[in-house]
Amino acid sequence: MTEPEFNPEFDTAADAILRPLAVGRITLANRIVQAPMGRLRADLQGCPGELMTEFYRQRADMGLIVSDGTSPSRDGRVFVTQPGLYDDDQIPGWTDIAEAVHGAGGRIVAQLMHAGWNTHQDVTGLPVVSASAVDHRGWAHDAKGNRLPFGTPTALDAAGLGRIRADFAAAAGRAVRAGLDGVELHAANGYLLHSFLAPNSNTRTDSYGGSPENRARFVTEVAAAVAAEIGADRLGVRISPGMTIQGAVEDDDAVAAETYAHLIDGFNALGDGTGIAYLNLAQPDLDGDLARGIRDRFHGPVFANRNTGTKVASTRRDALDILALGYDAAAVGRPALANPDLVERWTADAPEGNPENTPDPKTFYFGGAAGYTDYPVYAG
Ligand SMILES: Cc1cc2nc3c(=O)[nH]c(=O)nc-3n(C[C@H](O)[C@H](O)[C@H](O)COP(=O)(O)O)c2cc1C
């Protein structure tokens, strides 16, 4: 069965998906990218182990895997079993993952995620930092799963900003030393980097706040620091422009368009004007002016996902629509979580939504192999 007609350029899902894509230094075998998903299954030192290696090995046929959101800093950890890249001791676990994915023919980058104001001192043992000392509602979790309501974060001072830039660059260096194909900066979903971009979480009066250009400055600087460490062609960035999520409020598309225009111009200028390797765009209206404006302004390939914050997982149809809209790849979260052979399933005449391949939210952030590495492949 072929997919209902979705674009005159493609006759079948396989035609749409099985096209290679150049992304900075690497070439992806197809247009389905595994969206970053923090599954919190590292050890208490933030080191990935065999279970994580197996999870990623199983999914090596994705065009690219973006890893769990992985902390570049001790104070950036969102939970005690989040993987990290802030310590050299964490490198060997990532080396195992890189070798497993590469050995199975895949590509993988680490998503560098500093939780910013979306964590708690009882998780990290350190003060919570953000763009500004602004309150927001929500909670982190302690090791037993108890809620830890967010407190008022500490605004990063000049030394703190320098330390965070250096942490991201050092983490990127470790990722590459481990053999990963690069890193993705998490500048979306309300975490530290996003807290600089959104007007409500950034009330700074220095050169990092007060105007769209200033709010874009810190993320651009972090990207520049990472590019200097590993090369702009090994760097991608995830953004969620115009979205209100995990404390960050971006409810004015005109303001968001201006802020992200500065950001995109900054990304395009890196690597002596060659630009960063890719943009990973999370936005509900991918055909709207804001998303299209960003896509057209950015010089490199853009991956897209319109589903952030929704209860229902995206589908093959969503992915094909994204490709038909002209995005270079579809970033897919929960379907990849629950289908180790997603690309094969979506390009073959295979049913979608078997009960045993339904993502189980109970195991998203807790547990071992159950709901992690035990989703079955398509039986044919
Ligand atoms: C268990 C889980 C963990 C996630 N962790 C991250 C993360 O670490 N970084 C990130 O940028 N997005 C994260 N997301 C969001 C996904 O990347 C994706 O945008 C979202 O699931 C919507 O896409 P989908 O409908 O294809 O799942 C997570 C989603 C899930 C379900």
Side-chain angles (χ1 to χ4, degrees):
M1 186 187 78
T2 54
E3 194 64 25
E5 205 172 326
F6 54 92
N7 186 315
E9 206 185 322
F10 312 119
D11 289 332
T12 65
D15 287 346
I17 291 170
L18 299 179
R19 293 174 293 142
L21 177 67
V23 175
R25 232 177 256 208
I26 58 175
T27 300
L28 316 189
N30 63 67
R31 304 301 179 109
I32 303 293
V33 168
Q34 181 166 317
M37 285 178 289
R39 306 299 306 280
L40 308 178
R41 281 164 166 88
D43 69 15
L44 292 171
Q45 280 69 48
C47 298
E50 280 173 24
L51 193 61
M52 283 178 66
T53 302
E54 180 56 18
F55 172 76
Y56 287 121
R57 186 206 322 270
Q58 289 176 348
R59 284 155 182 78
D61 73 344
M62 305 293 290
L64 177 69
I65 296 171
V66 184
S67 81
D68 288 64
T70 297
S71 189
S73 308
R74 288 179 195 282
D75 61 357
R77 288 176 293 162
V78 76
F79 189 67
V80 288
T81 54
Q82 184 190 19
L85 273 164
Y86 50 81
D87 193 296
D88 286 352
D89 289 347
Q90 293 159 340
I91 294 176
W94 287 108
T95 302
D96 289 347
I97 291 171
E99 285 175 357
V101 171
H102 291 160
R107 297 291 194 177
I108 179 165
V109 298
Q111 188 190 49
L112 298 182
M113 164 186 156
H114 189 302
W117 62 347
N118 282 309
T119 189
H120 194 281
Q121 179 147 10
D122 288 356
V123 173
T124 63
L126 294 163
V128 171
V129 298
S130 191
S132 298
V134 174
D135 287 321
H136 74 307
R137 263 190 274 203
W139 51 84
H141 292 97
D142 69 15
K144 292 186 177 145
N146 300 313
R147 288 179 178 181
L148 301 167
F150 296 140
T152 307
T154 303
L156 285 162
D157 61 12
L161 295 176
R163 195 260 302 168
I164 295 287
R165 281 191 296 264
D167 279 358
F168 271 97
R174 288 187 193 97
V176 166
R177 270 156 59 204
L180 298 171
D181 293 299
V183 301
E184 173 178 296
L185 297 184
H186 196 349
N189 299 356
Y191 295 110
L192 179 66
L193 296 183
H194 196 188
S195 76
F196 282 83
L197 298 169
N200 74 306
S201 47
N202 182 346
T203 58
R204 299 178 74 98
T205 53
D206 60 7
S207 61
Y208 295 97
S211 68
E213 184 174 9
N214 283 356
R215 285 198 305 276
R217 190 180 312 282
F218 186 60
V219 181
T220 313
E221 287 182 358
V222 171
V226 170
E229 183 75 23
I230 63 168
D233 57 355
R234 285 202 274 219
L235 167 63
V237 182
R238 191 170 216 209
I239 56 173
S240 53
M243 289 186 58
T244 290
I245 184 162
Q246 298 197 108
V249 179
E250 291 194 25
D251 54 5
D252 184 332
D253 272 9
V255 172
E258 218 186 319
T259 308
Y260 286 85
H262 286 291
L263 194 66
I264 301 304
D265 290 351
F267 295 158
N268 285 335
L270 292 176
D272 292 329
T274 330
I276 62 171
Y278 73 85
L279 204 59
N280 197 351
L281 177 65
Q283 226 287 324
D285 184 9
L286 290 171
D287 204 16
D289 289 345
L290 180 61
R292 279 186 174 278
I294 287 170
R295 191 199 68 194
D296 294 344
R297 198 173 187 104
F298 182 62
H299 294 165
V302 180
F303 315 156
N305 179 300
R306 66 157 67 93
N307 222 20
T308 299
T310 63
K311 296 236 178 286
V312 182
S314 60
T315 61
R316 173 166 65 174
R317 180 76 225 191
D318 292 328
L320 296 178
D321 286 348
I322 284 168
L323 296 176
L325 278 173
Y327 292 95
D328 299 285
V332 175
R334 286 161 288 183
L337 180 155
N339 290 278
D341 54 347
L342 188 74
V343 171
E344 193 182 340
R345 191 179 277 254
W346 277 5
T347 52
D349 180 15
E352 195 171 9
N354 284 353
E356 67 274 21
N357 292 105
T358 304
D360 177 8
K362 290 197 297 297
T363 53
F364 278 0
Y365 306 109
F366 301 102
Y372 190 51
T373 51
D374 63 351
Y375 287 104
V377 296
Y378 176 52

